[in-house]
Amino acid sequence: MTFHRPEPIPTPYLLFLGDVASKADTKTAAGLLEWRAAWCSAQCRLPGCVVDLGLPDMTPAQAARAGLRTLVIGVAPDGGRIPEHWLPSLHEALRAGLNVAAGLHDRLHHVPTLVEAARGHGARLFDVRGVPDGLKLPVGRGVPRSGRRLLTVGTDCAIGKKFTALHLERAMRARGMATDFRATGQTGILISGAGIAIDAVPADFVAGAVEWMSPAAAPEHWDVIEGQGSLFHPAYAGVSLGLLHGAQPDAIVVCTDTRRSRIDGFESFRAPTIEDCIALNLQLGAMTNAAIRCVGISVNTAGMSADERRAALQGVRERFDVPVFDPAVEGCDAVVDLLR
Amino acid sequence: MTFHRPEPIPTPYLLFLGDVASKADTKTAAGLLEWRAAWCSAQCRLPGCVVDLGLPDMTPAQAARAGLRTLVIGVAPDGGRIPEHWLPSLHEALRAGLNVAAGLHDRLHHVPTLVEAARGHGARLFDVRGVPDGLKLPVGRGVPRSGRRLLTVGTDCAIGKKFTALHLERAMRARGMATDFRATGQTGILISGAGIAIDAVPADFVAGAVEWMSPAAAPEHWDVIEGQGSLFHPAYAGVSLGLLHGAQPDAIVVCTDTRRSRIDGFESFRAPTIEDCIALNLQLGAMTNAAIRCVGISVNTAGMSADERRAALQGVRERFDVPVFDPAVEGCDAVVDLLR
């Protein structure tokens, strides 16, 4: 069983934010900056962009002159399309000799003018989403496999599932546990250098793709699998369910943000309670692993004052008898203790 | 809003069954034969094939001499791959001037030797699965839209969801109701000449694809949407959930076969009870349509004796107060009465 490991993308990066209107849509850039800060040298923003990562602002041409190597599209708008009005910036980058990398549903390689410009200027295009050429994914089997698995699940998208999984991997390794982070989205793939963006896999193969990327392992080995979407999301619940069934997790950690009462960008949909989120994941996950249990609740408290943070965590702790933590603040030791 | 209507495929057809080992895998051929019998002139079987559709057996060369126009791959093995050992038959067809049509995940157009052979012999390849070139699917929105929708759901795959939906469309039209069958799988597309095989859509777009193929309509108009998979299927539950959320059905009809105690081909998984199947579809479907209700149970009694049939239907009728019927025998009038 070989694992997909894409070609390394030349660093340092210019993080392209476009004219993004919501911080939740910049999770690729934010994730790279947090976990691979050394690779991220500047940001490129268009008029109307509401997000500032605190990096120097550069145009693609300036970035090329400063020695940066690749413009990485750090934004994931709904549906993963490349807006037409971003194309001039991407062309400017290619003309200046920067490579362009993206993890959108729309492939850079499917935009003929970009392919031509890259060829003309000796630059390269990297698409990290989608099934790698030539890989024949299996369909799911649902058969138990050795090794242990933890899946991060969420009350919504863009709420901390990847972030929590990366922290868990780090904490588990620090405690000497054999652990692998399994990326299921473009940012996780950019950070870890491996994985499959399962939301771009043909729907029939989602569970199979997860089985494939988290193969049988030593009995004590843990895969920490990055969750996607939410079972309560009107657009993406099917992705989350295929992932849950393919992951066959022994353990889930629920990721939430107590400030978010509505599904982000789908305001007519109420965000589920943590109780409902745990219950539905256990109910549906039991189909492929009857031993599934919830081992923690990861609360995203970014931007809260100390008082708000304390109140948010306390409010959740009173309702549950599993560890309640913000991995960025408390770390993940309480969960790791439970897993050992 | 335009609807995808593929190019017509020249008839009559030679139905290719390969060396299929299970009748459940021949649903494409069986569906075409039942709903478009006039197009189906012969079958082509390889050694080991256990299914006989009752059509004359012909080799591709014989079929071409008899005036047939297209070899249709009538088999849908798990995962929709084209087995290597089928290729000689497909090449024989192309050499003889037959077109070749398929609705598998593996595209005919992705097999270079087939593309070359088709070009060399003036024949054509038709791939009916997959997102049509150039179509940009939206992601789901979950927002209510006008018109009414019925979705057939199942306790398993290949159990009668398409068959029931086609019968319902026919019965509703016969009663003067404005009704459209919405195909979501390759066989339904081959029969109806339109639709999208949603199991081949990138996972993020499943709900959106269903919203797109079943757009807002007149308030009294019914879309009868073909279900896929089962929420209880270890490989495909995610597809079924995305379809359920995108369809936003007002009504579901549960399709089952009382003889099937295990998920077909996944014998370690028990088939759900009809009660559990209804309950889970209503529970999860309520997220995008709180008014969802079950309006009937379609029992596949094909191959049963009259006594067995009576017992099977009676056993189910005792447990539910909605119409229980085999559309091939009773027709769908009881459900249509309920919908009017």
Side-chain angles (χ1 to χ4, degrees), chain A residues 6 22 44 46-47 57 70 120 126 129 142 175 184 186 197 245 250 252 278 290 297 317 324 335:
Chain A
S22 151
C44 174
L46 298 180
D57 280 293
T70 303
F126 294 90
R129 210 169 194 171
R175 300 278 285 274
T184 61
Q186 64 276 17
H245 283 163
D250 304 286
I252 59 170
I278 293 173
I297 299 166
R317 284 189 180 123
V324 174
V335 174

Side-chain angles (χ1 to χ4, degrees), chain A residues 81 105 136-137 199 201 203-204, chain B residues 81 105 137 199 201 203-204:
Chain A
R81 302 301 185 202
H105 281 299
K136 297 266 182 194
L137 286 171
D199 59 6
V201 165
D204 251 8
Chain B
R81 302 301 185 203
H105 280 298
L137 286 172
D199 59 6
V201 166
D204 251 8

